[in-house]
Amino acid sequence: RNLARSCTRIKNHLKNQLRRNIMSKDKLIIFDTTLRDGEQSPGASMTSDEKVRIAKALEQMHVDVIEAGFPIASNGDFEAVRAVARVIRDSTVCGLARAKQIDIDRAGEAIKPANSGRIHTFIATSPIHMQQKLRMSPDQVLEQAVAAVRMAKKYTSDIEFSPEDAGRSEPDFLCRVIEAVIREGATTINIPDTVGYNLPHQFGGLVKDLIERVPNSDKAIFSVHCHNDLGLAVANSLSSVLNGARQVECTINGLGERAGNAALEEIVMAVRTRQDVFDCDTDLDTTQIMNCSRLVSGITGFAVQPNKAIVGANAFAHESGIHQDGILKSRETYEIMRAQDVGLSANKMVLGKHSGRNAFKTRMAELNIEFSSEEELNEVFANFKTLADKKHEIFDEDLQSLVTETSTELTNEPIKLVSLSVCSETGETPNAKITLNVDGKEKHAEATGGGPVDASFQAIEKIAKSGVELQLYSVNNITTGTDSQGEVTVRLQIDGGIYNGHGADTDIVIASAKAYVNGLNKVIANQKRTHPQRGKV
């Protein structure tokens, strides 16, 4: 009896200790820069409407800070940041600015409509950047950094400062700059590994050293922004969190310039899964991760590799007999996370041509896909029925693609694909006949090419006469099977601008034509914005 009482007492003590540990956990702030740094991937530019769609998805996932863009970069970027600031209510909307008056004023104007706005200003602090890029002395850089924070205070009290290329900066100088900008009013200090140069133990040690050495470090939250040039962005970020950083800057799918940024989904799930190691946690609704991943992939045209951690098609797939046997007996034998925790459904409803409207609508709701109108729902459902007649089983990825395709069809685009006929046979030159609806009028063209896709593009160009240069043609199957939809991405270049076109269909030639037309519509839309008299076909 005494032993039983002792066991109960120990059990209750451990429960109370665990409860205290959970309550004492720090919050790890998630700063998503998909719309800014992610967009800097060559070919990943997004329209204002696309940025708003992604921002809403990030807000639904409870991302703390959304860096919506670089307002000084262009009028389009300024308007996109302002559009995001108008619609986002629960997340902080951030605009990036160099440590210059013109940048900060532009960022301040862009975030003005936000319920909660932040200005993120930066200047390089590494010797190579100060000498070779800025042509400034350390004292001049320090003075400009402080002045930038002072200027930003006119617009908001939420100010983030980044010493660019901190990973290659001299620690003593970093301490001077950080102490000065905190004294001036910076509330978040971001330490970027701008070129992905650092190793985890070095970078974590740098963050710890700065927090300990800067006298007023307790007056600001320390953040990290790691690039993936050596494949260490997530490792460096997590090492920094273990050493005191309480904000991580990251992107959906690790999108970003060069080799990309730290992947949001990997950071969040590593911290959530290893709560025995991390003394902090995020507020994210991780069940929204998969939806956000697919949305960003669909809009940018950057496919997610199948073996990508957390969001890859194979992340929760098991083929080995030994693994399957273990999973059937106990999921934990080969899975450290549940598929449901990132937004996948273990009990997937199979949709096909016999499925009714209610089953379709229910599955869409489970995927957190909302329709802006009954018209949009009806249009997507009609397209779903058409697709179901072509392939036996409809997968979640097909539904995501249908929504993207239908939203494109519902927009008032000047060029629409009406019909396409191609002939390709051994020993003969492929031929394509196409009909396009251009501003309400049908136009026809015929062309030959090296293959059916090339012939189709040549026929489209006979009508469009756009003068674009095809930079990229990429095909991915959305799901498995020979009846899978093909997802085509084209990258078009004209007048220095790059435009992504996206199309999907079970017929890969039709998908290609859809993608090319989609890209041309983006070119025309941009030309009309910059030159109202241009863009006529």
Side-chain angles (χ1 to χ4, degrees):
R1 190 180 297 124
N2 289 336
L3 179 61
R5 287 198 194 101
S6 297
C7 289
T8 301
R9 196 158 46 245
I10 293 171
K11 186 177 180 180
N12 290 335
H13 171 74
L14 291 174
K15 280 184 177 179
N16 291 332
Q17 185 65 41
L18 179 61
R19 191 178 297 114
R20 281 194 296 271
N21 288 342
I22 292 173
M23 292 178 67
S24 67
K25 292 273 185 182
D26 289 343
K27 176 179 176 177
L28 179 62
I29 298 167
I30 296 299
F31 178 113
D32 183 277
T33 183
T34 303
L35 303 181
R36 198 277 299 173
D37 202 336
E39 193 191 27
Q40 290 178 202
S41 295
S45 59
M46 312 167 201
T47 65
S48 181
D49 289 343
E50 289 169 341
K51 282 195 170 189
V52 169
R53 281 183 66 195
I54 292 173
K56 286 181 176 179
L58 294 172
E59 181 182 39
Q60 188 173 4
M61 191 164 58
H62 303 163
V63 163
D64 300 291
V65 185
I66 300 172
E67 190 167 52
F70 195 0
I72 196 65
S74 68
N75 289 332
D77 225 32
F78 173 83
E79 292 299 338
V81 174
R82 191 157 61 175
V84 170
R86 286 195 188 105
V87 301
I88 298 302
R89 302 267 63 93
D90 297 331
S91 302
T92 294
V93 177
C94 178
L96 183 70
R98 292 169 299 180
K100 296 184 177 183
Q101 180 80 54
I102 188 173
D103 284 42
I104 291 168
D105 288 343
R106 195 69 166 156
E109 285 298 315
I111 66 167
K112 189 178 288 185
N115 194 38
S116 172
R118 173 184 295 188
I119 291 177
H120 178 191
T121 185
F122 70 96
I123 190 168
T125 55
S126 67
I128 188 172
H129 275 239
M130 289 190 291
Q131 294 165 13
Q132 302 298 325
K133 185 180 76 171
L134 300 178
R135 307 293 170 90
M136 294 171 66
S137 69
D139 286 342
Q140 289 174 317
V141 168
L142 174 60
E143 182 181 350
Q144 193 162 324
V146 172
V149 174
R150 188 182 306 123
M151 288 184 276
K153 286 196 292 188
K154 293 190 301 182
Y155 299 98
T156 178
S157 60
D158 190 347
I159 302 165
E160 177 170 336
F161 174 78
S162 289
E164 187 187 7
D165 202 20
R168 294 190 296 176
S169 298
E170 295 175 351
D172 289 347
F173 181 58
L174 274 181
C175 288
R176 284 180 60 204
V177 173
I178 292 169
E179 181 182 2
V181 296
I182 293 176
R183 189 188 310 119
E184 190 61 43
T187 51
T188 299
I189 301 298
N190 178 52
I191 309 301
D193 185 21
T194 304
V195 292
Y197 177 73
N198 281 252
L199 300 179
H201 73 282
Q202 292 175 315
F203 200 62
L206 173 63
V207 171
K208 182 180 181 181
D209 188 45
L210 293 173
I211 293 173
E212 290 177 348
R213 291 182 57 192
V214 174
N216 53 359
S217 64
D218 60 318
K219 300 295 193 300
I221 292 169
F222 275 70
S223 171
V224 289
H225 178 119
C226 298
H227 278 264
N228 206 39
D229 297 70
L230 293 176
L232 295 170
V234 170
N236 282 332
S237 299
L238 294 176
S239 176
S240 302
V241 172
L242 290 172
N243 282 281
R246 285 300 176 265
Q247 176 178 286
V248 174
E249 305 195 0
C250 42
T251 61
I252 299 296
N253 300 335
L255 194 66
E257 57 185 332
R258 303 189 314 277
N261 290 275
L264 177 147
E265 60 277 4
E266 295 178 27
I267 296 288
V268 171
M269 292 311 296
V271 171
R272 184 67 53 85
T273 303
R274 294 306 308 272
Q275 281 291 283
D276 58 321
V277 174
F278 291 95
D279 56 355
C280 58
D281 199 2
T282 72
D283 289 340
L284 256 69
D285 177 2
T286 60
T287 62
Q288 302 297 316
I289 284 176
M290 193 61 70
N291 191 44
C292 278
S293 170
R294 290 169 177 167
L295 177 63
V296 170
S297 178
I299 286 175
T300 62
F302 280 59
V304 176
Q305 65 193 63
N307 61 329
K308 166 76 172 65
I310 314 299
V311 293
N314 295 343
F316 292 91
H318 304 273
E319 186 171 343
S320 163
I322 295 173
H323 286 217
Q324 291 172 344
D325 180 62
I327 288 290
L328 289 172
K329 291 173 179 174
S330 176
R331 179 191 61 80
E332 290 82 359
T333 54
Y334 287 102
E335 284 187 359
I336 59 173
M337 300 166 283
R338 298 189 317 148
Q340 295 92 329
D341 292 340
V342 299
L344 291 171
S345 174
N347 299 315
K348 184 169 61 177
M349 184 185 296
V350 177
L351 293 177
K353 64 181 181 180
H354 298 296
S355 299
R357 180 187 175 90
N358 188 41
F360 171 80
K361 190 175 180 180
T362 299
R363 185 62 195 139
M364 287 299 206
E366 290 172 353
L367 292 171
N368 295 304
I369 295 174
E370 298 178 357
F371 297 100
S372 58
S373 64
E374 194 70 16
E375 178 194 5
E376 186 181 11
L377 170 61
N378 292 337
E379 191 72 24
V380 177
F381 182 68
N383 288 343
F384 157 74
K385 282 291 192 178
T386 301
L387 178 61
D389 282 331
K390 296 179 182 178
K391 58 180 304 201
H392 175 67
E393 183 179 350
I394 307 297
F395 297 91
D396 292 347
E397 292 86 349
D398 291 312
L399 299 178
Q400 295 277 357
S401 179
L402 277 175
V403 174
T404 301
E405 284 287 299
T406 305
S407 64
T408 298
E409 292 170 6
L410 289 174
T411 56
N412 190 24
E413 294 188 327
I415 307 177
K416 292 182 172 66
L417 176 65
V418 177
S419 67
L420 173 64
S421 172
V422 294
C423 179
S424 180
E425 83 182 83
T426 305
E428 299 293 331
T429 302
N431 173 273
K433 297 178 181 178
I434 198 160
T435 301
L436 299 178
N437 184 305
V438 182
D439 293 327
K441 297 180 181 178
E442 288 196 355
K443 297 189 177 184
H444 312 276
E446 183 175 354
T448 59
V453 172
D454 183 43
S456 300
F457 288 3
Q458 299 291 345
I460 293 171
E461 275 300 322
K462 279 192 173 182
I463 297 173
K465 299 181 178 63
S466 68
V468 298
E469 181 180 353
L470 181 65
Q471 293 286 315
L472 172 75
Y473 173 79
S474 173
V475 181
N476 291 287
N477 58 315
I478 293 178
T479 57
T480 57
T482 54
D483 63 347
S484 167
Q485 285 196 95
E487 190 174 51
V488 175
T489 299
V490 298
R491 187 173 299 160
L492 308 178
Q493 183 175 17
I494 184 170
D495 296 335
I498 295 177
Y499 306 87
N500 282 328
H502 175 84
D505 199 278
T506 51
D507 186 322
I508 201 64
V509 180
I510 293 176
S512 301
K514 285 181 177 180
Y516 198 91
V517 168
N518 181 238
L520 288 180
N521 280 316
K522 291 181 180 179
V523 172
I524 293 169
N526 181 67
Q527 290 175 340
K528 285 182 177 178
R529 281 196 299 271
T530 30
H531 306 285
Q533 298 306 313
R534 293 181 61 185
K536 294 183 179 180
V537 178

